[in-house]
Amino acid sequence: MSKKVIVIGAGASGLMAAGFCAAKGNTVTLLERNDKVGRKLMITGKGRCNVTNACTMLNELIENVPVNGRFLYTAFSRFMPSDTMEFFESLGVPLKIERGNRVFPVSDKSVDIVDALNGFVKRNGVKRIQEHVTSLIIKDSSVSGVKCESGNEYTADDVIVATGGKSYPLTGSTGDGYIFARQAGHTVVKPKPSLVPLECHEGFCSQLKGLSLKNISIKIYDNEKFREIYSDFGEMLFTHFGVSGPVVLSASSHIREMQSGRYELHIDLKPALTFEQLDKRLLREFKENPSKAIINIMNLLLPKSLVPVFVKLTRIHPATKANQVTKDMRIEIINLLKDFKLTITDFRPLDEAVITSGGIEVKEINPKTMESKLCRNLYFCGEVIDVDAYTGGFNLQIAFSTGYLAGNSI
Ligand SMILES: Cc1cc2nc3c(=O)[nH]c(=O)nc-3n(C[C@H](O)[C@H](O)[C@H](O)COP(=O)(O)OP(=O)(O)OC[C@H]3O[C@@H](n4cnc5c(N)ncnc54)[C@H](O)[C@@H]3O)c2cc1C
């Protein structure tokens, strides 16, 4: 029997849900507050859209979802990354696999993914209307439609909430889904930022603002548990408040209980060289430039803007000549090159986070269908649910898998 279905939100999960639901013969209306679909999708992967991760094992997928990964067992098994890849290639978007199994369109353009999804929903007869939904219409624990800011009301047999999280609110994802969920009696786990820049105690970060460090390795140390909780290699960036960039964003999702001073970021500025190799390199530079000031010698080893801060931290006078540098001073320099330490004080706010951690309590959603256990005919998919993953295309895979499952369950 064909049903009348409303999908709220035309992001990654809503477009998926709407298209597959309509493909089954249902009459689907997609309500989106923006004039265009997939605004957040457009900015994913720095405009290149890391559309999924080409991992083939279900367990590996779940391991990359540190919060409530098991809840996604059915959604992932019904729509795996290989299905995502096949889906987009069948829509005419050739894909490529990069480092870490990250999948991108060959064109490096997220607009190709958005256009493909838009074409998919249109071809399946989904009707899209620009509306800002303000509440659900619920009677006797069953949803029967939605009310909009315009004053319009839409009735439906089923409603799918695909409104996303609360980060990057300018894209339209402002957390409205949490209001709808509460209205239906759901618990909302407090939204928190994840994959987010980090604030640091050290004032010199603002002095280094804009400096990007490439090919460095980092470690995050938990002072309370006395252990390293994360390590990575890649690129990071100094900002006026602390640090950002790929390795920092990834690290942030491993920090679960933020407390000022509890976590430290240790940067190895020369990961390719051992202590001994660095010592030899310094000795060579000192020998070749005996009357050069240490500050100028360090310019040969580090980005220019980092050198004054670096030399100050070694407590060696910047004018010290190479032939005056003692063994202890050399050890001090090498120690700092191998372990440049920053103290983390906080996450940046939620609206700067790539992902919202928290959301609708998973125990109140049927993982086999994405239907609410508390309100009949109501479904959820995507980031609005309390699941979040590491970087690498896993978050979009969550949106596609849960959207596919919700759309196919009606
Ligand atoms: C900068 C950035 C880069 C990212 N890069 C990647 C990446 O490369 N790979 C990856 O896997 N993940 C990435 N992500 C995460 C990924 O984009 C999200 O996890 C994903 O878009 C979530 O999909 P969604 O459908 O749940 O929500 P969204 O894509 O946020 O869509 C929600 C939609 O609902 C609409 N909406 C909200 N409220 C209402 C309302 N009341 N009425 C009507 N419409 C409403 C919004 O306008 C929006 O269009 C990135 C995120 C950001 C911010």
Side-chain angles (χ1 to χ4, degrees):
M1 190 191 71
S2 163
K3 293 176 105 187
K4 214 169 136 187
V5 180
I6 284 174
V7 179
I8 316 173
S13 66
L15 287 162
M16 205 69 176
F20 279 103
C21 193
K24 286 184 72 188
N26 295 302
T27 306
V28 181
T29 306
L30 179 56
L31 303 179
E32 165 59 52
R33 69 199 297 182
N34 294 326
D35 57 346
K36 291 201 175 103
V37 304
R39 263 220 185 149
K40 188 171 275 179
L41 258 175
M42 287 293 280
I43 58 166
T44 53
K46 291 192 179 152
R48 296 172 63 220
C49 189
N50 177 192
V51 73
T52 186
N53 189 285
C55 79
T56 50
M57 306 302 288
L58 192 55
N59 275 356
E60 195 189 338
L61 259 183
I62 290 173
E63 274 164 24
N64 278 284
V65 186
V67 178
N68 296 320
R70 302 297 310 170
F71 169 80
L72 296 168
Y73 192 90
T74 305
F76 279 155
S77 30
R78 292 281 304 277
F79 201 80
M80 287 286 286
S82 54
D83 298 310
T84 303
M85 292 170 71
E86 218 177 287
F87 173 69
F88 283 108
E89 297 209 307
S90 75
L91 295 177
V93 187
L95 302 172
K96 58 178 173 180
I97 302 174
E98 295 191 358
R99 183 181 60 85
N101 273 338
R102 288 161 201 254
V103 181
F104 293 89
V106 169
S107 65
D108 283 327
K109 288 191 180 116
S110 52
V111 66
D112 289 354
I113 296 294
V114 177
D115 285 350
L117 281 168
N118 205 11
F120 170 65
V121 297
K122 275 189 187 157
R123 272 193 306 282
N124 281 295
V126 174
K127 185 175 176 193
R128 179 164 63 88
I129 308 175
Q130 188 178 1
E131 287 280 14
H132 180 186
V133 177
T134 49
S135 63
L136 303 179
I137 303 169
I138 300 173
K139 245 192 237 150
D140 302 328
S141 300
S142 175
V143 69
S144 59
V146 300
K147 288 185 186 176
C148 301
E149 202 175 53
S150 60
N152 292 335
E153 289 188 15
Y154 297 84
T155 57
D157 299 311
D158 297 275
V159 173
I160 302 177
V161 176
T163 46
K166 228 182 159 177
S167 33
Y168 277 65
L170 287 178
T171 60
S173 320
T174 52
D176 287 5
Y178 308 142
I179 302 171
F180 308 152
R182 283 200 192 94
Q183 210 195 327
H186 280 272
T187 313
V188 174
V189 177
K190 192 172 178 241
K192 281 185 298 189
S194 187
L195 298 178
V196 66
L198 298 170
E199 293 182 5
C200 296
H201 168 75
E202 288 73 12
F204 59 72
C205 287
S206 66
Q207 203 180 321
L208 299 175
K209 186 175 83 176
L211 170 67
S212 164
L213 298 177
K214 294 196 174 75
N215 301 322
I216 46 96
S217 71
I218 63 152
K219 284 181 184 149
I220 300 282
Y221 189 80
D222 181 344
N223 279 323
E224 198 148 290
K225 299 212 167 130
F226 304 107
R227 65 183 174 90
E228 180 190 312
I229 57 159
Y230 184 70
S231 66
D232 202 353
F233 174 86
E235 187 179 346
M236 62 166 280
L237 177 78
F238 283 96
T239 65
H240 65 281
F241 52 76
V243 286
S244 186
V247 294
V248 170
L249 296 187
S250 296
S252 74
S253 59
H254 293 259
I255 300 177
R256 287 284 151 198
E257 296 152 73
M258 176 57 86
Q259 289 155 17
S260 180
R262 173 168 169 177
Y263 298 95
E264 286 170 357
L265 170 66
H266 295 259
I267 309 164
D268 184 344
L269 295 162
K270 296 285 170 196
L273 299 176
T274 62
F275 190 98
E276 291 69 30
Q277 285 168 326
L278 274 170
D279 198 27
K280 272 191 192 147
R281 168 88 199 268
L282 279 178
L283 282 170
R284 195 178 71 226
E285 298 294 353
F286 293 165
K287 206 173 161 196
E288 283 170 13
N289 307 284
S291 53
K292 225 179 191 172
I294 186 73
I295 192 140
N296 295 328
I297 290 190
M298 291 317 292
N299 276 334
L300 305 169
L301 280 123
L302 290 171
K304 216 168 179 238
S305 56
L306 180 58
V307 172
V309 171
F310 185 93
V311 173
K312 196 169 176 194
L313 287 171
T314 62
R315 292 184 300 264
I316 302 170
H317 194 282
T320 309
K321 299 241 170 7
N323 58 12
Q324 296 168 324
V325 174
T326 64
K327 189 176 177 195
D328 284 350
M329 288 176 184
R330 237 171 47 234
I331 291 171
E332 188 72 38
I333 293 170
I334 301 167
N335 281 340
L336 194 59
L337 284 170
K338 296 299 284 176
D339 188 10
F340 191 93
K341 191 188 91 177
L342 296 171
T343 311
I344 299 163
T345 52
D346 210 346
F347 293 126
R348 288 298 283 170
L350 190 49
D351 51 354
E352 290 178 36
V354 170
I355 287 295
T356 306
S357 178
I360 305 169
E361 168 62 70
V362 295
K363 289 194 193 95
E364 299 166 356
I365 301 172
N366 181 345
K368 296 205 159 76
T369 58
M370 295 292 131
E371 189 176 8
S372 161
K373 289 182 182 172
L374 310 180
C375 179
R376 284 188 308 282
N377 309 113
L378 179 63
Y379 294 76
F380 299 104
C381 56
E383 208 180 307
V384 72
I385 303 172
D386 181 19
V387 282
D388 64 272
Y390 297 139
T391 50
F394 299 103
N395 286 293
L396 280 174
Q397 185 59 44
I398 293 176
F400 296 140
S401 295
T402 55
Y404 175 86
L405 185 56
N408 269 296
S409 300
I410 295 171

